[in-house]
Amino acid sequence: MKPHMKALAFAALLVPLTAYRSPLTAQTSLTIYNDGRVLVRRSMPAEVARGSSTVRVPVGALDPSTLFSLDSSVVINGVSYDGAVDQNSVLRRAIGRKLKFRWGGPADTLYATVLGVDPERYLMPDGTVSFSMPGTPYFPADLVVVDPVATLALRSSAARNVLRLGYFTAGASWQANYEVILGRSMATVQGDATISNDRLRLENAELQLLAGSVSTARKEMDQTRNMAMARQSMEDVSVSQERVGEFHLYTLPGKTTLLPGITTSIALFDPVQASYEKNYVVRGALPWYGMLPQYP
């Protein structure tokens, strides 16, 4: 951890972007917070032209206000994020388009033009307008968002084919669990991190766990885009821990695959031996006055 990097009380860990040098070589790396926030760093193939350009990248679910560039020579001037994957959102994209509807058997189909939503309005083949859906809709593939995408307005000092981005999302959290097994004179202490994942789907990601309560930055601070997590390369043999201000950062060895609905447990350290002694402690208090028994 470089001395000038500080943990700010009102924000996530912020450092000047020019000081950021990522030792992580994986395509994706994550930092999971105790409260369910997830900081994602990704290197994605993208054709970025020199100067100003527009790039469309599949980024998955995220908070678009937190999207920032991990490369100091690439500036994000604007973000258009389409993360709606439900039918109503697809129907809004279809306004002005002619859709196929099935209202009975396989041969019972018709085409109607979507005029509007809220309320729904459809132009029927005979020129009339219906305020209800005329059957089961079949949407063209170009209207359906399978994986949320972001359209980025970029300014780059040089052409490149890899875009390095960071952003915050949600869907995973973690907690530490410790066990102490008492022997005759020695105790065995072991600990593990339990990662609960609701909806993240990431393969072969480098994983970090941040312990501590980190407040959210004010909205005006979100626009600085000067965000980068302080991180160091770790050995592959054990979990490494470092203190970052008032927080603790654990970097897990190797790569981790997170799948929706799967809870993962990873050892934080090898079991260690420690001597201990037994004590029998009785806690009580004398009565305030008079004869026993009385409430102390």
Side-chain angles (χ1 to χ4, degrees):
M1 183 67 183
K2 297 182 179 180
H4 64 276
M5 297 180 181
K6 298 180 180 180
L8 302 183
F10 56 85
L13 304 179
L14 308 180
V15 299
L17 195 58
T18 54
Y20 170 79
R21 296 292 185 272
S22 173
L24 302 177
T25 58
Q27 185 178 7
T28 302
S29 57
L30 309 175
T31 300
I32 301 179
Y33 290 55
N34 286 124
D35 60 8
R37 283 177 289 169
V38 181
L39 175 60
V40 182
R41 286 92 58 191
R42 297 183 65 183
S43 296
M44 295 178 288
E47 295 300 325
V48 180
R50 184 176 183 271
S52 298
S53 63
T54 300
V55 176
R56 184 177 171 89
V57 290
V59 290
L62 58 80
D63 179 355
S65 66
T66 65
L67 192 66
F68 61 96
S69 173
L70 288 172
D71 194 328
S72 59
S73 61
V74 177
V75 178
I76 301 177
N77 291 323
V79 179
S80 176
Y81 176 68
D82 191 352
V85 297
D86 59 287
Q87 178 174 307
N88 287 337
S89 299
V90 178
L91 196 61
R92 292 181 187 278
R93 300 188 193 103
I95 293 177
R97 298 275 294 268
K98 185 178 289 188
L99 299 182
K100 178 182 178 181
F101 295 87
R102 189 179 73 182
W103 53 272
D108 299 325
T109 61
L110 58 85
Y111 288 86
T113 302
V114 182
L115 297 179
V117 181
D118 297 329
E120 296 180 12
R121 302 179 299 281
Y122 302 92
L123 180 62
M124 306 300 289
D126 60 359
T128 60
V129 176
S130 173
F131 282 85
S132 61
M133 189 175 291
T136 302
Y138 289 82
F139 296 102
D142 63 307
L143 295 178
V144 180
V145 175
V146 178
D147 193 16
V149 296
T151 301
L152 310 178
L154 305 176
R155 188 177 73 251
S156 176
S157 61
R160 63 193 69 238
N161 56 14
V162 174
L163 186 60
R164 299 171 58 242
L165 299 173
Y167 53 84
F168 276 93
T169 185
S173 61
W174 76 281
Q175 64 178 8
N177 303 289
Y178 300 95
E179 294 180 355
V180 179
I181 302 174
L182 302 181
R184 290 184 177 274
S185 61
M186 300 292 291
T188 301
V189 183
Q190 56 190 32
D192 61 75
T194 301
I195 304 170
S196 300
N197 179 30
D198 294 331
R199 59 178 182 268
L200 290 184
R201 181 182 295 274
L202 294 168
E203 297 183 0
N204 297 324
E206 295 198 5
L207 186 59
Q208 294 176 320
L209 307 176
L210 186 69
S213 178
V214 182
S215 301
T216 302
R218 298 188 298 267
K219 286 187 179 297
E220 56 268 25
M221 293 297 296
D222 290 341
Q223 301 176 1
T224 63
R225 301 191 183 280
N226 231 2
M227 303 177 64
M229 282 294 300
R231 58 191 84 92
Q232 296 179 354
S233 58
M234 305 297 176
E235 297 180 359
D236 291 334
V237 294
S238 63
V239 173
S240 180
Q241 178 202 179
E242 58 180 313
R243 186 177 179 87
V244 185
E246 298 178 353
F247 315 104
H248 288 274
L249 187 67
Y250 300 89
T251 298
L252 305 185
K255 308 290 178 61
T256 303
T257 294
L258 297 178
L259 299 176
I262 301 299
T263 299
T264 305
S265 181
I266 301 175
L268 288 174
F269 51 85
D270 292 332
V272 295
Q273 299 289 319
S275 60
Y276 76 97
E277 61 180 17
K278 290 184 178 180
N279 290 285
Y280 295 93
V281 179
V282 179
R283 302 186 184 278
L286 293 176
W288 293 107
Y289 62 89
M291 301 296 294
L292 296 176
Q294 294 180 53
Y295 292 107

